[in-house]
Amino acid sequence: MAGNCSWETHPGGRDKVCPDAREAPEPHSRGFLSFEQISELPPPAVVNYIFLLLCVCGLVGNGLVLWFFGFSIKRTPFSVYFLHLAAADAGYLCSKAVFSVLNAGAFRGPFADYVRAACRLLGLCTFVAGVSLLPAISSERCAAVLVPGRRWRRRPRRLSAVVCALLWSLSLLVTALHNYSCAVRGRRAPGTACGRADALLGLLLFPVSCPLMALPCLGLVVHEGCRARRRQRPAELSRVVLAVVSVFLVSSIYLGIDWFLFWAFRIPAPFPEYVTDLCICINSSAKPAVYFLAGRDRSQRLWEPLRAVFQRALRDGAEPGGPGGGAPRALTTEMRSPPGSAS
């Protein structure tokens, strides 16, 4: 598990000091993205219950997404991406929920340490997988709206599944290398194998992944702006992609500052570590709400089947004849009109 390091100030500067690796880890250690512990102070007890409540709500929402996108809604290239993204978020929230239970109960001992280590690996793997899926989703959506419909329909049918499998394999490889560098070769201060592994992991998550997901979103923003000028209805799918990427970029600000300050200048972040964990949990729990808000039809009754809501969230106005296009929508409106209402 994570080391419990502290900072010592001396005339020459500040150094990070870690206890002997033989000492038992503290039960409040974060241990998801790094083996290092920047602050030795445990979070308030109420924070663990907030984490647990947030994780339970997120697990329920992502479970509904897994059920409807996996078994109830017709498969599309983007439903496959969102299905894997929900699986990654559910895995992270599950590991964080177990961490919160162990921290709230202050469980110690070999078994508790083993559970924490397993949850750390699961949380890191699923978090890396979720971050890796976002550039693929935004890039493919940008290609879908910019490439003509005929060429887009020629794409391999199983391209989304292949990309998701490759990204999961990459996440497993990154997690295995990180765990080997830190758990097998030792966990010491930055500059060792564990410190370099943490730095490379941060480079993969922020300077590499964030531009890859943000640049295609800029293309989507320009495209949706042009559709609005032509008084065309924006595609729900584009709004979903933009919202999902925006939620991650906003929620990862604290984690990026945490990583940048420590690995670039070796100074602690100006906020507690549990703030970054809270932002990550919000990011993993907010995606089902994004699908629901994007697919909800305000003109219909307050309660409508979730299957219809999620199906509407995947509506792609960029593809001619796609589900929920202009003609089917007009036909649906006409069928719902009461008899004798036409002039």
Side-chain angles (χ1 to χ4, degrees):
M1 267 299 295
N4 193 15
C5 303
S6 60
W7 291 87
E8 291 187 356
T9 304
H10 53 83
R14 305 185 68 183
D15 289 335
K16 187 178 180 183
V17 179
C18 298
D20 192 350
R22 293 174 296 179
E23 297 182 9
E26 294 293 332
H28 60 265
S29 298
R30 180 177 63 186
F32 274 101
L33 303 182
S34 172
F35 274 79
E36 306 292 344
Q37 180 83 8
I38 296 179
S39 174
E40 62 179 359
L41 298 177
V46 68
V47 173
N48 294 317
Y49 299 102
I50 294 176
F51 277 134
L52 187 58
L53 177 62
L54 188 60
C55 290
V56 170
C57 296
L59 285 172
V60 172
N62 284 285
L64 292 174
V65 172
L66 288 172
W67 170 258
F68 284 105
F69 283 23
F71 302 100
S72 182
I73 294 177
K74 182 180 178 180
R75 293 288 180 89
T76 65
F78 292 97
S79 69
V80 174
Y81 283 121
F82 293 137
L83 181 67
H84 285 265
L85 188 60
D89 290 334
Y92 178 84
L93 291 173
C94 182
S95 61
K96 188 60 182 178
V98 176
F99 255 107
S100 301
V101 172
L102 295 176
N103 294 345
F107 292 102
R108 296 174 180 269
F111 179 74
D113 293 341
Y114 175 79
V115 174
R116 287 188 178 94
C119 290
R120 191 199 72 83
L121 292 177
L122 176 62
L124 178 59
C125 180
T126 52
F127 181 77
V128 173
V131 176
S132 303
L133 285 167
L134 292 179
I137 294 173
S138 58
S139 298
E140 186 153 352
R141 180 56 190 166
C142 183
V145 299
L146 297 180
V147 175
R150 294 181 179 179
R151 295 184 180 180
W152 173 252
R153 285 192 289 268
R154 295 177 184 175
R155 65 185 296 277
R157 295 183 57 184
R158 300 187 179 275
L159 178 62
S160 300
V162 172
V163 171
C164 291
L166 292 176
L167 293 177
W168 276 106
S169 301
L170 176 63
S171 303
L172 290 173
L173 178 62
V174 170
T175 303
L177 292 177
H178 186 269
N179 185 69
Y180 173 78
S181 300
C182 293
V184 178
R185 302 187 62 181
R187 41 183 184 267
R188 303 191 185 95
T192 61
C194 183
R196 290 191 293 269
D198 289 340
L200 292 176
L201 179 62
L203 286 173
L204 176 64
L205 295 178
F206 299 108
V208 174
S209 296
C210 288
L212 290 179
M213 69 179 73
L215 292 178
C217 287
L218 292 178
L220 287 178
V221 171
V222 174
H223 180 268
E224 294 303 323
C226 295
R227 290 173 61 92
R229 291 182 179 180
R230 295 194 298 266
R231 297 183 179 180
Q232 296 180 357
R233 179 184 176 87
E236 284 80 358
L237 183 56
S238 296
R239 293 189 296 176
V240 168
V241 173
L242 290 174
V244 167
V245 174
S246 299
V247 168
F248 170 78
L249 293 177
V250 172
S251 62
S252 64
I253 289 178
Y254 289 105
L255 187 60
I257 294 175
D258 189 341
W259 172 82
F260 180 75
L261 289 178
F262 180 67
W263 297 113
F265 302 103
R266 297 191 62 183
I267 60 177
F271 43 82
E273 289 185 32
Y274 58 81
V275 173
T276 63
D277 291 340
L278 181 63
C279 292
I280 298 175
C281 289
I282 292 175
N283 167 68
S284 300
S285 303
K287 295 184 182 67
V290 169
Y291 307 148
F292 177 80
L293 294 176
R296 187 170 63 93
D297 191 351
R298 298 180 180 179
S299 62
Q300 302 302 321
R301 60 181 182 272
L302 181 62
W303 299 104
E304 58 179 331
L306 285 177
R307 181 180 182 276
V309 174
F310 287 144
Q311 182 71 54
R312 195 179 296 115
L314 296 176
R315 184 161 50 194
D316 188 358
E319 297 179 6
R329 183 177 180 85
L331 179 60
T332 303
T333 305
E334 181 180 352
M335 292 177 63
R336 290 177 177 174
S337 301
S341 60
S343 57

